Amino acid sequence: GKDTSTTAAWVARHRRLYERATRHPFTVSIHDGTVDLAAFRRWLGQDYMFVKEFVAFLASVLLKCCRQSEGSDMEIILGGLASLSDELSWFKKEADKWSVGLTEVSPLKSNTLYCRFLQSFSEPEISYTVAITTFWIIETVYQDSFALCIEEGNETPPELLGTCQRWGSHEFKQYCQSLQIIADRCLAEAPADVVRSAEEAFLRVLELEIGFWEMSSSQT
Ligand code: HMH
């Protein structure tokens, strides 16, 4: 109905898929304290590579935003881009702590697929609306996944709490909500075919996120 935002309606409509992405056995095992640390290490190395590609993706979102001259959106996206600088340093520090050699990591299949998807946003034909919606759901999957691991009653291993805080914090949640407001405003003004493309991208992200967790937790 009119009271529900477009993005909230999608989450409700695709709830099962959304939950497979945000309550994946890998992140649930972090919450339960049963996580395989080899899997965590694998995730860490792969996600560092992902985040480097995410910087380029975010630069393309920022560029589309500037072309549309959305002044206030620009500050939020720029803030997100700036915080990725700190995030890359965090990954290096964390990799050191876990003895993961970041320079020796090569991307696994699901990561390569996801990075290719991110790269496709550099095409000018892809609209700002589709890009900002994609950005929102990518961040939201991590926020929702890791928020669980710091909820009351968690048995998250203490040495993993820093990771969970990075994406599970209240501050990161507010940032995701500000992205959601932007996405919903764009979607409300967009023609039907653009809204359809944005929903397809939303679903694609959920599938890619599930693949990313699977890749991290599998032994092969
Ligand atoms: C795979 N999805 C993946 N990695 C991340 N770091 C995020 C989302 C959130 O930034």
Side-chain angles (χ1 to χ4, degrees):
K2 278 198 167 135
D3 300 332
T4 316
S5 74
T6 306
T7 53
W10 292 345
V11 170
R13 188 188 305 162
H14 305 289
R15 173 142 301 277
R16 299 236 314 270
L17 187 64
Y18 181 82
E19 281 181 1
R20 282 178 59 212
T22 56
R23 292 295 177 268
H24 189 273
F26 176 67
T27 49
V28 171
S29 77
I30 294 177
H31 165 271
D32 295 345
T34 58
V35 61
D36 171 10
L37 292 178
F40 179 78
R41 283 194 177 85
R42 192 158 41 236
W43 167 79
L44 191 70
Q46 292 296 318
D47 212 43
Y48 171 70
M49 306 195 71
F50 175 88
V51 170
K52 285 198 291 180
E53 196 58 52
F54 196 53
V55 171
F57 166 77
L58 215 44
S60 72
V61 178
L62 181 64
L63 184 60
K64 290 178 203 296
C65 174
C66 294
R67 295 284 178 264
Q68 290 223 340
S69 61
E70 299 284 357
S72 60
D73 295 7
M74 191 249 257
E75 289 177 29
I76 292 171
I77 299 165
L78 190 56
L81 193 51
S83 71
L84 289 182
S85 168
D86 173 62
E87 190 158 303
L88 288 172
S89 312
W90 176 85
F91 268 101
K92 285 178 203 159
K93 210 178 81 221
E94 198 68 11
D96 247 23
K97 170 175 147 187
W98 293 97
S99 314
V100 173
L102 292 178
T103 52
E104 293 121 60
V105 176
S106 47
L108 296 172
K109 179 103 184 294
S110 299
N111 199 0
T112 303
L113 269 176
Y114 205 159
C115 288
R116 208 171 287 155
F117 171 77
L118 293 182
Q119 283 161 13
S120 71
F121 285 82
S122 64
E123 291 166 26
E125 292 74 27
I126 297 185
S127 73
Y128 173 56
T129 299
V130 175
I132 191 77
T133 304
T134 302
F135 178 31
W136 158 72
I137 189 61
I138 292 173
E139 296 288 44
T140 298
V141 168
Y142 262 43
Q143 194 283 318
D144 202 341
S145 298
F146 285 112
L148 174 77
C149 304
I150 53 172
E151 262 180 20
E152 220 174 281
N154 75 74
E155 307 210 38
T156 301
E159 65 271 30
L160 299 187
L161 280 173
T163 299
C164 302
Q165 279 290 352
R166 171 158 285 280
W167 290 281
S169 70
H170 181 66
E171 189 190 7
F172 194 74
K173 183 172 185 150
Q174 283 185 320
Y175 167 64
C176 291
Q177 283 171 339
S178 61
L179 295 178
Q180 184 167 18
I181 289 166
I182 297 172
D184 278 319
R185 190 204 65 227
C186 292
L187 289 163
E189 295 164 355
D193 63 315
V194 171
V195 176
R196 220 161 15 245
S197 299
E199 186 174 7
E200 277 164 23
F202 165 84
L203 294 172
R204 187 77 187 117
V205 168
L206 295 179
E207 284 162 2
L208 289 164
E209 289 287 344
I210 294 164
F212 203 90
W213 296 134
E214 297 283 316
M215 167 195 75
S216 303
S217 50
S218 79
Q219 298 301 311
T220 50

